[in-house]
Amino acid sequence: MASRKTSQRNREDVDKYSVLLPTYNERENLPLIVWLLVKYFGESGHNYEIIVIDDGSPDGTLEVAEQLQKIYGEDKILLRPRAKKLGLGTAYIHGMKHATGNFIIIMDADLSHHPKFIPEFIELQKEGDYDLVSGTRYRGNGGVYGWDLRRKIISRGANFVTQVLLRPGASDLTGSFRLYKKKVLESLVERCVSKGYVFQMEMIVRARQLNYTIGEVPISFVDRVYGESKLGGNEIVSFLKGLLTLFATT
């Protein structure tokens, strides 16, 4: 028993968490989200790095990221920009190539995902040795704040239809605040073919297919403070097409 506890402590000592932050026009939000990440990782004592993947933001997001790198150090803030918007899935692949952690955290850079929940993600993952831990708005004390009725109906409706058609074994499929074992995320990204908002949903569905274990942490989702939401009519149509494709192929 003593040797098992010792080996677990040793494993925890070497665990490192790579946070992937895909950005596009987030110059106002980026300093705040980075400060919060540094704060909560510092308080919890976990080893980490933050990888900013900017897709050619015209608002100067990359220049802000460069200043943050000077403040917090190149060992904590890694900049891996791309020339233009190339999609969320490819952003994760790009970020993982440069990640040195054995765990990957994905989250939005617009402050809708609060880093205060990350220690809970890590604790739950260790307790159950889960392959991935997902933040959920639809269980326990989770919730959504700052959305109008239209956004809430779209989100709830999308989640309900997805649950009925795909039975994924998770309560929140369209969320994008998750902790993965790096090898698990690499395996899932290789198999996913969706783009846009359907991508996160397909990740959970593929995880179920591959018998990966999923833990959930209730989170409070807060609508972005600065900037405009990127959800529009085209994204909704793409979501529905993607949902039907997954239903037909999984």
Side-chain angles (χ1 to χ4, degrees):
M1 179 69 73
S3 62
R4 184 183 302 174
K5 290 183 177 179
T6 300
S7 64
Q8 182 176 354
R9 281 198 300 271
N10 291 338
R11 188 173 69 249
E12 291 178 1
D13 289 341
V14 299
D15 283 341
K16 184 175 182 180
Y17 298 86
S18 299
V19 182
L20 304 188
L21 282 184
T23 59
Y24 187 77
N25 288 348
E26 300 288 0
R27 63 170 293 135
E28 293 95 348
N29 295 315
L30 190 60
L32 295 172
I33 193 69
V34 167
W35 181 83
L36 287 168
L37 283 165
V38 171
K39 168 182 165 61
Y40 285 99
F41 271 112
E43 291 178 355
S44 62
H46 297 294
N47 192 15
Y48 72 96
E49 63 184 3
I50 301 167
I51 302 176
V52 180
I53 307 136
D54 186 67
D55 275 2
S57 297
D59 74 339
T61 298
L62 181 58
E63 288 75 13
V64 171
E66 290 170 347
Q67 293 300 314
L68 293 170
Q69 188 181 57
K70 292 178 181 178
I71 295 171
Y72 296 109
E74 295 183 3
D75 60 324
K76 294 301 182 187
I77 309 294
L78 285 71
L79 308 182
R80 299 295 181 263
R82 303 189 295 177
K84 60 181 180 179
K85 291 184 74 173
L86 297 170
L88 196 59
T90 60
Y92 292 148
I93 294 172
H94 184 67
M96 279 192 295
K97 288 179 181 178
H98 303 282
T100 60
N102 55 326
F103 288 94
I104 303 287
I105 294 171
I106 63 170
M107 62 189 303
D108 293 344
D110 62 4
L111 299 174
S112 56
H113 298 145
H114 201 299
K116 69 181 180 181
F117 295 108
I118 289 177
E120 294 183 46
F121 280 42
I122 294 173
E123 182 180 357
L124 180 64
Q125 190 283 323
K126 291 185 183 300
E127 287 177 358
D129 192 28
Y130 290 106
D131 294 309
L132 71 98
V133 174
S134 179
T136 176
R137 298 161 289 181
Y138 305 126
R139 278 187 59 190
N141 58 355
V144 176
Y145 302 91
W147 275 3
D148 58 20
L149 183 60
R150 171 181 169 272
R151 287 291 300 273
K152 288 182 178 179
I153 290 174
I154 291 172
S155 178
R156 281 284 188 177
N159 206 62
F160 174 76
V161 172
T162 303
Q163 294 288 343
V164 171
L165 293 180
L166 302 179
R167 302 188 180 279
S171 63
D172 190 345
L173 277 80
T174 55
S176 53
F177 192 4
R178 295 175 186 165
L179 163 66
Y180 291 88
K181 292 179 179 178
K182 185 178 180 181
K183 292 181 178 179
V184 169
L185 182 57
E186 289 172 337
S187 172
L188 291 173
V189 168
E190 284 178 3
R191 291 169 170 80
C192 286
V193 297
S194 303
K195 296 180 180 179
Y197 291 90
V198 185
F199 177 79
Q200 301 293 359
M201 179 174 66
E202 185 179 359
M203 294 279 277
I204 293 290
V205 173
R206 300 297 179 193
R208 181 206 61 189
Q209 285 183 324
L210 296 170
N211 294 318
Y212 288 134
T213 54
I214 304 172
E216 291 189 314
V217 171
I219 63 166
S220 301
F221 178 96
V222 182
D223 197 20
R224 59 166 51 244
V225 178
Y226 299 106
E228 297 181 357
S229 170
K230 301 175 179 70
L231 176 64
N234 290 337
E235 284 75 17
I236 296 172
V237 172
S238 296
F239 172 84
L240 293 173
K241 289 181 178 178
L243 174 61
L244 293 175
T245 300
L246 283 178
F247 178 65
T249 59
T250 60

